[in-house]
Amino acid sequence: NAGVTQTPKFRILKIGQSMTLQCTQDMNHNYMYWYRQDPGMGLKLIYYSVGAGITDKGEVPNGYNVSRSTTEDFPLRLELAAPSQTSVYFCASSSAGGPYEQYFGPGTRLTVT
Amino acid sequence: GEDVEQSLFLSVREGDSSVINCTYTDSSSTYLYWYKQEPGAGLQLLTYIFSNMDMKQDQRLTVLLNKKDKHLSLRIADTQTGDSAIYFCAESPDTGRRALTFGSGTRLQVQP
């Protein structure tokens, strides 16, 4: 049982490049989330999904896209990378029942230059 | 609106108790959480408290909830150097999407 896994761990992008951050969970959780964490700040919600085929925007969705074709996978796509997207990205999942605790992956550290 | 506030930094000596405080704004939150983040790692759930409880104890951790003042605290007894980390308070105000609203985190430094 690996929990939530994310790849890659680190990535440097040039402005305008694209990439996909991968996230997989093996706990059969319905809910999945993408957060970003800027230095010295808490986590901000980018997108979330309540089940396969269903996604919705969080607080800071601009510049990102997601898809959820399976219960296990929830990739995050950056189409035209900008320096403002330099951050640490965390994927999380939770089950449908309380206490709604979220399990986090180890994070992807992204730098856009 | 949703807002969770924490002090930025706390320094204690090994063996002392640590108390990390948090205030939140949404009285409809069903659960409140404490997460721990070690350097370069993801967030790890430490404990949570249901909104109809005042206190929860889990080994060295004690969570106190004052709903009237919307104040949450985490007490760590006999603090060890391994407890040095950033601690995040979080609330779950939206039962639809179940997303959490996090504070900015309190950096706990434990001095030997």
Side-chain angles (χ1 to χ4, degrees), chain B:
Chain B
E2 304 165 3
D3 199 9
V4 179
E5 294 188 355
Q6 303 177 236
S7 53
L8 289 178
F9 185 75
L10 176 65
S11 179
V12 300
R13 292 204 174 276
E14 194 173 17
D16 288 349
S17 292
S18 307
V19 179
I20 301 171
N21 295 301
C22 168
T23 57
Y24 62 97
T25 56
D26 197 318
S27 57
S28 68
S29 291
T30 307
Y31 294 95
L32 294 133
Y33 311 83
W34 284 104
Y35 280 83
K36 176 183 181 182
Q37 185 181 34
E38 297 183 7
L43 277 70
Q44 173 194 357
L45 179 68
L46 276 181
T47 187
Y48 65 90
I49 188 166
F50 192 46
S51 59
N52 69 352
M53 298 170 64
D54 297 325
M55 184 181 86
K56 180 179 180 182
Q57 190 150 3
D58 185 0
Q59 299 182 334
R60 292 191 297 122
L61 305 179
T62 303
V63 179
L64 294 178
L65 175 60
N66 180 330
K67 280 177 293 191
K68 174 175 168 289
D69 295 336
K70 298 191 183 70
H71 183 266
L72 183 74
S73 68
L74 173 70
R75 178 177 180 269
I76 306 173
D78 187 26
T79 313
Q80 303 298 306
T81 54
D83 295 323
S84 293
I86 301 176
Y87 291 81
F88 290 93
C89 168
E91 62 175 350
S92 63
D94 186 329
T95 58
R97 64 185 188 185
R98 310 270 172 86
L100 303 184
T101 299
F102 288 86
S104 299
T106 299
R107 181 178 296 276
L108 174 65
Q109 181 181 69
V110 182
Q111 298 180 5

Side-chain angles (χ1 to χ4, degrees), chain A residues 31-35 47-48 74 91-92 94 102, chain B residues 97-99:
Chain A
Y31 292 77
M32 294 189 75
Y33 312 85
W34 276 105
Y35 294 91
Y47 270 95
Y48 69 98
F74 190 39
C91 178
S94 67
Q102 294 189 8
Chain B
R97 64 185 188 185
R98 310 270 172 86

Side-chain angles (χ1 to χ4, degrees), chain A residues 40-64:
Chain A
M41 305 293 287
L43 279 69
K44 298 292 185 186
L45 181 68
I46 305 171
Y47 270 95
Y48 69 98
S49 169
V50 302
I54 306 169
T55 63
D56 208 346
K57 297 177 182 178
E59 300 170 75
V60 290
N62 291 345
Y64 308 95

